[in-house]
Every structure is written in C-alpha cells, then in structure tokens.
Amino acid sequence: MIRISRLSAALLLFATGLQLAMASVPLGGNRKGANGSYDLYGCMLTNDYYVVNFAAYQIDPNRAKDDKSVPQAECVDLPRVGKTQIAIDLLDLDVRKKPVALKILREDGQSIAELPMAVVKQGVLTTTVDFKTPGKYQAVLFVEDNDLHTPPEISALHMPLTVGLLVEPTAASGNSLWIVVGLLGGLIALAAYFVPRWLKPNPAHTPR
C-alpha cells in the first residue's frame, strides 16, 4: 500500500510538471507577439462554449511593390494600424450550421466593423477592418445556438486585440521556454531516481 501511494505521488508530480510545460511552451513557428508567444497560423481562442482559429493579415507598408507574397498571419497582437483582414475559422462543426455574427469593437464599445447573423457553411468568417489608431479592440463572435438555451450575448466569444502596441518581450520571456524545459527535465530526473527506490521491496528481517 505504501509503495502504491509513493508511486501515485510520483506520477502526480510528473503529470503536474508535464501539464505546466505543455501550457507554457508556445506552439507554432517564428511569429513574435507582445507577450512573447509564437504562431504561424494565427491562434486558437476559446471560451466555455466555442473554439475558433483567429488570424489577422496586415500588409507591411515598407515591403517592395513587386512583392506578391501573402502576408503572414498574426494572432491577437497586431503590429500596426491600417487595413487588416480578419479571418475566423469556426472549429466547432455544428456551429457551421447555425447563424453567427461578428463585431469588431473599439475599447469604448463603438463598432467599427460588423457581419450580420448568417449561416457560414464554409466555416470561415472574413472581414476587412481599417484600424485608424493604435489601441485596444476586441472581436466578438455571436452564435444563435438554440441547443444551448443561452442568449448569444452570454455565450459570445470575446477576442481582445491590441493594435500598434507591440513591444519586444523581455529577456526573461525569451528564456521562459528553456526554464520550462529545464524544469521538466529535472522532474523526469527526480522521478527516474526516486521511483525505483520507492518501489524496491524492503528486505525481510530475519528473526534472531
């Protein structure tokens, strides 16, 4: 019984460390945001009801005129103001059969772009927004979902955006991945050392 309890404790410690690492290690490629996160294809956003992939595309005004390459996808931290194409991929297949609407709001709640309620069978909402000034905005996805018996205003997915406010991450954030990897490695090493010893049967005492 003691050995089982020790094994359970070791596995719990290892699982906790693994969960921390998975939550902290950024997924994707070499796209850098204000918080040091990385993404090649936008980012996945979710609430208690829905999950989407959010991507924003901005054209660099300094790029060459003959450059025909497609802009790289940004996540919710947009580097500059100006015209931006926003694409929201509905990852819930059942939501693609339900009316959805999208609003882009300024920090004061003023709407600057809007898509009315409609069924989006292809599963991707797209709209072009002209961000005039740097600041904080949000994209809000509304779903007319009769299965939830919840008003769209309650179940709405709010996606906070920052525009033109990007700052370089600190050295600490740049080293966070290595800290997580080191922590995970330490936990594995500790488990490899202690678990066999905890499970090793105690020698029987010979009576005198």
Side-chain angles (χ1 to χ4, degrees):
M1 181 65 69
I2 295 177
R3 283 184 294 167
I4 295 176
S5 299
R6 288 175 174 175
L7 177 59
S8 300
L11 292 176
L12 178 60
L13 177 64
F14 177 77
T16 302
L18 182 61
Q19 183 178 13
L20 173 63
M22 293 179 64
S24 303
V25 176
L27 304 177
N30 59 355
R31 303 298 299 152
K32 183 161 53 180
N35 60 356
S37 62
Y38 292 73
D39 269 294
L40 278 176
Y41 310 105
C43 53
M44 187 177 296
L45 302 174
T46 183
N47 63 3
D48 292 338
Y49 304 96
Y50 310 110
V51 58
V52 303
N53 190 81
F54 176 95
Y57 301 89
Q58 296 186 309
I59 297 178
D60 186 349
N62 297 321
R63 77 173 185 169
K65 293 183 179 180
D66 57 349
D67 186 355
K68 303 299 183 180
S69 61
V70 177
Q72 290 182 303
E74 302 286 349
C75 188
V76 294
D77 296 322
L78 310 184
R80 63 185 67 88
V81 297
K83 290 187 177 181
T84 303
Q85 184 179 26
I86 290 178
I88 296 178
D89 189 356
L90 305 174
L91 300 183
D92 298 289
L93 296 181
D94 61 321
V95 175
R96 300 185 179 193
K97 304 174 184 178
K98 300 173 181 178
V100 295
L102 179 68
K103 288 185 178 181
I104 310 298
L105 307 176
R106 295 191 319 211
E107 190 173 13
D108 61 4
Q110 181 68 34
S111 176
I112 59 174
E114 185 173 347
L115 293 175
M117 278 285 182
V119 176
V120 184
K121 293 183 179 180
Q122 71 275 19
V124 181
L125 290 84
T126 59
T127 187
T128 299
V129 184
D130 190 3
F131 294 106
K132 299 292 187 182
T133 59
K136 295 181 179 180
Y137 299 80
Q138 66 173 316
V140 186
L141 175 71
F142 301 91
V143 182
E144 197 171 279
D145 195 340
N146 294 328
D147 296 333
L148 285 179
H149 305 289
T150 303
E153 293 76 18
I154 302 298
S155 62
L157 173 56
H158 293 259
M159 297 163 271
L161 312 175
T162 63
V163 178
L165 300 179
L166 288 182
V167 294
E168 288 296 321
T170 63
S173 64
N175 294 329
S176 60
L177 175 59
W178 295 109
I179 294 174
V180 171
V181 172
L183 176 61
L184 181 57
L187 289 172
I188 294 174
L190 288 173
Y193 180 81
F194 285 108
V195 169
R197 286 160 177 78
W198 286 346
L199 297 180
K200 184 177 180 180
N202 295 325
H205 295 284
T206 55
R208 295 182 180 179

